Amino acid sequence: MDIRNIPQIKNTEADNFFLLAGPCAIESEEMAMRIAEHIIKVTDKLQIPYVFKGSFKKANRSRIDSFTGIGDEKALKILAKVGKEFGVPTVTDIHESSDAALAAEYVDILQIPAFLVRQTDLVVAAANTGKVINLKKGQFMSPESMKHAVQKVLDCHNENVMVTDRGTMFGYQDMIVDYRGIPAMQQFASTVLDITHSLQQPNQSSGVTGGRPDLIETVAKAGIAVGVDGIFLETHFNPAEAKSDGANMLHLDYFEDLMTKLVAIRQTVRQF
């Protein structure tokens, strides 16, 4: 997929990796705008093509009392406002076939969660909107098997599809990134590495997912060195108070430093 096909995408001439980043979930308009403004200042400075990410609802929760959202249309309207006011594309994940047409009215990219990427009806509904599709690799799937999910999108006459690796289950409570999978998936689609979800520690006895944010820089650097097309990460100005996935988020204060290092690595890798 040519990232220039993403509406409103900027800085494509810089030959940098592209970035999907933002909060895990839309908690309020103020938080979304604050995070977007900070990220956009950095990505414009470093000439990184950028897509704002935010979930309009969280359907995959361990506990029934976990935060699921502020209301579907309310959150989607916030995503649309971010896109309009800052002139950037937006992405959100969908969980049911009926979500596809609704979310497509507000965002530029529809993301299929890893747990649901084998759900044919969901993938087809997303592809038929004509939007760019981001397919998260199932934690239980081989990189090579993702070509079948990609083919479902292509068979709907939609060529704007990318895949995102978000780690592979390693036992019950840990994830690993097999970097051999990056070039394997690049054979059939642009490939993104989801840094923060790859560092989740799921299935905790508390019912709240843990994480290893101290390893974000390590995993991100390795991904850029391997040659990923894009990076995905979740960030927040106060991860400890985030309503979803705070345990593995990057603190917004560390964002510019990390991006500066990744751009430098990318430039070095490109020389070879």
Side-chain angles (χ1 to χ4, degrees):
M1 186 198 78
D2 189 336
I3 66 165
R4 290 174 295 183
N5 291 340
I6 301 174
Q8 300 195 92
I9 195 80
K10 296 184 294 183
N11 300 314
T12 56
E13 70 286 346
D15 196 31
N16 266 324
F17 56 91
F18 62 94
L19 175 70
L20 289 74
C24 178
I26 299 298
E27 300 171 11
S28 69
E29 181 178 315
E30 186 276 333
M31 69 86 71
M33 301 298 279
R34 178 178 173 182
I35 292 172
E37 182 177 23
H38 184 92
I39 295 176
I40 289 164
K41 285 181 180 178
V42 174
T43 53
D44 281 350
K45 175 182 177 181
L46 298 175
Q47 295 187 293
I48 300 171
Y50 172 59
V51 179
F52 178 82
K53 181 270 169 184
S55 296
F56 76 98
K57 68 177 176 181
K58 301 301 296 181
N60 175 26
R61 303 285 83 190
S62 296
R63 295 177 4 185
I64 198 169
D65 60 346
S66 295
F67 174 79
T68 58
I70 60 174
D72 294 357
E73 290 206 49
K74 182 178 181 180
L76 286 167
K77 287 178 180 177
I78 291 171
L79 282 162
K81 185 172 182 177
V82 169
K84 182 177 181 180
E85 292 208 3
F86 292 107
V88 296
T90 54
V91 56
T92 198
D93 40 332
I94 62 173
H95 304 85
E96 302 176 49
S97 298
S98 59
D99 289 342
L102 173 64
E105 295 181 26
Y106 298 93
V107 301
D108 303 292
I109 302 175
L110 298 179
Q111 181 170 286
I112 307 300
F115 280 123
L116 299 175
V117 75
R118 285 173 55 93
Q119 298 296 106
T120 299
D121 288 350
L122 179 62
V123 173
V124 169
N128 282 336
T129 66
K131 295 290 183 175
V132 177
I133 307 300
N134 183 25
L135 301 170
K136 286 286 198 79
K137 185 185 82 65
Q139 303 94 322
F140 46 86
M141 294 173 65
S142 70
E144 292 78 8
S145 67
M146 281 296 293
K147 66 183 177 183
H148 303 298
V150 170
Q151 191 61 48
K152 290 175 184 178
V153 178
L154 299 177
D155 286 345
C156 294
H157 308 290
N158 185 341
E159 296 184 353
N160 293 317
V161 56
M162 65 182 92
V163 296
T164 295
D165 193 345
R166 48 95 73 240
T168 301
M169 289 301 295
F170 188 70
Y172 289 116
Q173 295 175 323
D174 208 357
M175 312 286 293
I176 60 168
V177 176
D178 182 354
Y179 291 94
R180 299 173 300 176
I182 303 301
M185 290 188 288
Q186 285 176 322
Q187 297 299 308
F188 48 82
S190 297
T191 301
V192 178
L193 180 59
D194 181 343
I195 307 302
T196 48
H197 286 103
S198 295
L199 292 168
Q200 280 185 331
Q201 293 178 320
N203 303 320
Q204 299 295 311
S205 59
S206 65
V208 178
T209 298
R212 291 291 307 274
D214 55 304
L215 292 175
I216 288 173
E217 183 171 319
T218 299
V219 173
K221 285 178 175 178
I224 295 298
V226 169
V228 294
D229 300 296
I231 289 289
F232 178 110
L233 63 83
E234 291 180 344
T235 183
H236 197 286
F237 47 80
N238 189 358
E241 297 297 325
K243 295 183 182 297
S244 179
D245 280 2
N248 51 270
M249 277 191 191
L250 176 72
H251 197 293
L252 200 59
D253 288 350
Y254 304 142
F255 178 77
E256 182 170 2
D257 179 66
L258 176 61
M259 291 300 112
T260 301
K261 292 174 180 175
L262 297 185
V263 168
I265 295 171
R266 169 79 167 198
Q267 293 171 345
T268 301
V269 169
R270 282 304 202 196
Q271 295 178 17
F272 300 100

